[in-house]
Amino acid sequence: MRRRKRGTAVAAITLTSLMVLSACAKDSGGVVAGATGVAGAACEFATPPSPPATPSAGAGEQAADGDRVDGSALKIGLAFDIGGRGDASFNDLAAAGFDRAIADLGIKEENTREVSAAPNEDESVKRSRLRQLAREGFNPIIGVGFAYTESLKVVAPEFPDVRFGLVDSAVEGAANVTPLVFAEQEGAFLAGVVAAYQSRKCHVGFVGGVDIPLIRKFEAGYAQGARAAAPKVVVERKYLTPATDFTGFQDPAKGLETAKGLIDKGADVLYPAAGASGIGVFSAVKQAGVLAIGCDADQYHQPALADTRDVIVASSLKRVDVAVYDFVRAAARNDLASLPKVFDLKANGVGYATSGGRVDAKLQGIVEGFKAEIIAGRIEVADKP
């Protein structure tokens, strides 16, 4: 275990530290079922919803402006997934929320602790890590990623008075485990809208890392958003590995080759939900002179992608920072029931970024129009392809 270090400066990132860049990856490829269109043809766009008078604000942003909450009595622990602080995406988003909670709620430095998972570690190691935090009086404790699900099934009942938060998963029947889950498909929908408008061929692609339900949510939203913008758009998709093989999140070479295959089929805007394998996707996109959409974090600003960031026209956002902050804040208020059941667009749990300057005001307005429709419930985004 180690004490958390002040600041969020990100060191040079290796491929190992990027293993869990995001949950953002089926073995089979080809055109998504139901897609139509002619590769190479310009898109014919559907009439988009009107943009709202003012950009929509999520509940997570508004909560920060509420009554002052005193968390000085808390001892909080954060159990990172593989890569830990410094991965420039999934874990760093959790770290940002952790840091913000500490600063805003007056939590003492000596009452904070960070621990990290190791690659291929046994489940017993995760359990020991969580038990040690609980025995040392840390409460609440946050597990970053579904990798902690099985361990919490065992550990949470042993410490019924400890409040656990679990990012990306839930533990059925454990009243002291709060699921911090997201409507990833809603952010991916907005990514699909941008992709359709940026495509010159009306032909876009999705690269998934591992064929699991979490990643299918990204595919489903992306395809639906692209088709909402341009009904005849062609959507290619390819997963790197099946559900039993998580190397799909850490194989940039395979990501590169897979992306080349989709580009060869005609896709000219690619959206990788593939962890570190996305590095290879962005490289292929750069080599081919086409475009890409980032995933989870604003990937235009990631140091590891500095050489390819000019191809990233937008990113879908998964606000793990908001979920972690809101969970700690609610724990300080002893009001975990106030948290949203799902961190969606309305709760500011997902969203999008347009760093890089390629998305003009007109397209920004179109995306905001779709976002407002989703928040209002007039568009329901599917979570399965």
Side-chain angles (χ1 to χ4, degrees):
M1 293 190 179
R2 59 182 175 83
R3 295 284 182 186
R4 63 177 289 276
K5 296 180 180 179
R6 290 193 179 275
T8 55
V10 178
I13 300 169
T14 64
L15 294 184
T16 300
S17 71
L18 281 164
M19 287 173 67
V20 287
L21 258 177
S22 69
C24 282
K26 212 162 174 185
D27 252 359
S28 57
V31 178
V32 172
T36 58
V38 180
C43 276
E44 295 180 8
F45 297 108
T47 301
S50 299
T54 56
S56 50
E61 291 175 337
Q62 295 166 354
D65 299 326
D67 296 335
R68 173 73 179 176
V69 175
D70 181 10
S72 59
L74 293 180
K75 289 184 68 175
I76 60 174
L78 188 66
F80 286 118
D81 205 341
I82 301 166
R85 184 185 287 268
D87 77 344
S89 188
F90 190 74
N91 285 297
D92 262 2
L93 287 169
F98 192 65
D99 291 346
R100 181 183 167 205
I102 290 164
D104 286 2
L105 307 180
I107 299 169
K108 300 173 183 177
E109 175 76 16
E110 60 267 26
N111 287 340
T112 68
R113 182 74 58 80
E114 292 178 5
V115 295
S116 291
N120 302 315
E121 68 181 8
D122 189 79
E123 203 66 42
S124 63
V125 179
K126 287 186 176 67
R127 294 174 189 171
S128 295
R129 180 181 304 122
L130 295 172
R131 285 189 182 109
Q132 186 167 349
L133 286 172
R135 287 167 179 159
E136 292 183 10
F138 289 93
N139 184 8
I141 297 168
I142 303 149
V144 182
F146 61 83
Y148 284 97
T149 306
E150 294 304 314
S151 292
L152 279 172
K153 288 180 180 178
V154 176
V155 175
E158 297 174 358
F159 300 92
D161 294 329
V162 175
R163 295 160 294 180
F164 294 93
L166 178 57
V167 176
D168 271 352
S169 191
V171 177
E172 295 297 328
N176 60 329
V177 179
T178 300
L180 305 175
V181 295
F182 300 81
E184 292 93 349
Q185 69 274 15
E186 292 184 355
F189 181 104
L190 302 181
V193 171
V194 174
Y197 274 92
Q198 291 288 328
S199 175
R200 295 181 178 181
K201 300 178 180 179
C202 205
H203 198 150
V204 302
F206 172 82
V207 178
V210 181
D211 180 8
I212 54 177
L214 176 65
I215 304 304
R216 295 189 203 115
K217 291 168 71 176
F218 289 95
E219 179 199 341
Y222 180 68
Q224 185 179 344
R227 294 196 192 103
K232 294 184 179 181
V233 67
V234 175
V235 185
E236 305 280 353
R237 51 93 164 159
K238 180 73 175 179
Y239 285 77
L240 304 184
T241 60
T244 55
D245 182 1
F246 277 76
T247 62
F249 288 138
Q250 50 184 298
D251 194 341
K254 194 167 188 176
L256 185 146
E257 290 306 312
T258 299
K260 285 183 176 179
L262 297 188
I263 293 168
D264 287 345
K265 289 183 177 181
D268 62 359
V269 184
L270 299 189
Y271 177 50
S277 300
I279 296 172
V281 174
F282 293 127
S283 294
V285 167
K286 175 85 169 183
Q287 293 170 19
V290 293
L291 299 173
I293 309 286
C295 186
D296 277 1
D298 185 352
Q299 293 199 295
Y300 181 86
H301 290 299
Q302 286 187 1
L305 299 172
D307 292 339
T308 56
R309 72 176 187 172
D310 56 311
V311 305
I312 301 174
V313 298
S315 294
S316 69
L317 302 179
K318 180 173 176 177
R319 299 298 303 275
V320 178
D321 56 327
V322 169
V324 168
Y325 175 83
D326 285 359
F327 172 74
V328 176
R329 190 174 190 274
R333 295 174 57 200
N334 198 28
D335 187 20
L336 292 176
S338 66
L339 291 171
K341 298 299 183 184
V342 177
F343 285 86
D344 54 12
L345 281 174
K346 187 174 183 179
N348 194 37
V350 295
Y352 72 101
T354 57
S355 301
R358 287 181 178 266
V359 175
D360 60 18
K362 180 179 179 180
L363 179 51
Q364 184 92 26
I366 291 169
V367 177
E368 283 293 319
F370 278 111
K371 177 181 176 181
E373 291 291 291
I374 294 170
I375 290 174
R378 290 185 287 270
I379 294 178
E380 183 176 347
V381 185
D383 61 3
K384 296 180 179 65

